[in-house]
Amino acid sequence: MSELLLLFIYCALLGSGVGFLAGLLGIGGGLVIVPILSVILLHFDVLPAKQVVVAAIATSLASILFTSTSSAIAHHKNGNVPWDLAPWIMTGVALGALISGFLAALLPEQIVRMVFAVSVALIALKMIFSGKSDDEAERKLPNKGLLTFFTTIVGGLSAMIGIGGGALLVPMLSFFSIDMKKAIGCASACGIVIALFGSVGYITSGSAHFALSDGFAGFVYLPALLGIVCTSWFTAPLGAKATQTLPVATIKKVFALLLLAMAANMALR
């Protein structure tokens, strides 16, 4: 079996799990894709070690474009996307993702890796402790301009670490008393925008480093992208459907423990 085919199979297996989590938890899947894909790219010696994390982040974002689309369609059919808010949130995340896609490619690999590890650890801790001390009082959403400003920051950080934004958007929207299912649905829709604009930045800035003939579109490694997408597209709707029956809050806490382990590995590797 050729190494390229084996890499494709590994990425397809990764995509099947990531797609389900994307639909279930409203995350684009980058929290899982980036650390695991980094290991895969290193194992197959696809590119220099100092560029592995950036390539994993860029490929993760590109895959999220497909995964989030599939997940968002499923959530829309279930009536879980608040379209009265989505345009304002999408505007902010698009701007942040576009800027971040260019900047992250210019930063040293160690900085990008540490930003990812710290961000994931904080997200995981929020998942573990959410609900234990949160104030139950209803909070109103800020005005549309301020909401767009907040989501610009969310979009920028999400694109920098290669995630669809759900891990940041869902707790933010939940904090402002948005129903959890609608927060997850909105995050899925916004993941499309973050992935699209973030990928543009990574593809443009990476075009000087890698050629299409080598399997790259900028920093996006196309064989890995194809492997992830060919399964995640089909498993994302299954995850979205599972939100209606599975204990999402409990699953999030278990998932958070996995994220902490991944963040520690990324930071200490």
Side-chain angles (χ1 to χ4, degrees):
M1 185 181 296
S2 70
E3 287 197 347
L4 186 60
L5 178 58
L6 192 57
L7 181 146
F8 178 87
I9 292 172
Y10 285 170
C11 290
L13 291 172
L14 172 61
S16 64
V18 163
F20 186 81
L21 287 173
L24 180 67
L25 303 178
I27 61 173
L31 294 171
V32 177
I33 293 175
V34 174
I36 296 179
L37 183 56
S38 295
V39 172
I40 294 173
L41 295 178
L42 279 173
H43 176 74
F44 288 99
D45 198 23
V46 173
L47 70 171
K50 66 179 181 179
Q51 294 173 316
V52 161
V53 174
V54 173
I57 289 173
T59 306
S60 170
L61 277 177
S63 72
I64 288 168
L65 179 60
F66 297 91
T67 306
S68 288
T69 299
S70 178
S71 177
I73 290 172
H75 280 292
H76 171 70
K77 289 179 179 178
N78 291 329
N80 288 336
V81 181
W83 290 113
D84 55 327
L85 294 175
W88 297 93
I89 298 173
M90 286 180 172
T91 300
V93 297
L95 180 61
L98 184 61
I99 295 171
S100 181
F102 283 99
L103 291 181
L106 300 176
L107 295 173
E109 185 268 348
Q110 280 187 320
I111 293 179
V112 176
R113 180 158 47 88
M114 290 307 298
V115 168
F116 178 88
V118 171
S119 299
V120 170
L122 292 175
I123 290 167
L125 290 172
K126 171 61 179 175
M127 286 183 178
I128 291 172
F129 294 107
S130 62
K132 292 187 176 182
S133 59
D134 291 347
D135 188 357
E136 296 298 327
E138 184 173 340
R139 303 179 184 90
K140 292 184 179 180
L141 276 168
N143 63 65
K144 300 298 191 298
L146 196 55
L147 181 62
T148 300
F149 172 75
F150 287 153
T151 53
T152 298
I153 298 173
V154 169
L157 180 58
S158 298
M160 179 172 286
I161 63 178
I163 65 175
L168 301 175
L169 276 173
V170 171
M172 185 189 85
L173 294 176
S174 298
F175 177 82
F176 290 115
S177 303
I178 301 297
D179 176 74
M180 177 62 75
K181 291 179 181 178
K182 291 189 180 298
I184 291 174
C186 186
S188 295
C190 289
I192 302 170
V193 179
I194 291 174
L196 175 62
F197 284 86
S199 295
V200 167
Y202 278 105
I203 291 172
T204 303
S205 60
S207 59
H209 299 272
F210 298 102
L212 189 61
S213 58
D214 297 322
F216 285 88
F219 282 113
V220 177
Y221 188 50
L222 297 177
L225 172 63
L226 182 60
I228 294 169
V229 169
C230 76
T231 52
S232 64
W233 176 269
F234 299 103
T235 56
L238 298 178
K241 186 176 181 180
T243 61
Q244 310 297 322
T245 55
L246 293 180
V248 176
T250 301
I251 293 170
K252 275 192 173 184
K253 289 178 172 54
V254 175
F255 178 63
L257 295 175
L258 175 63
L259 290 182
L260 285 175
M262 289 182 173
N265 177 68
M266 182 71 76
L268 298 175
R269 190 178 60 203

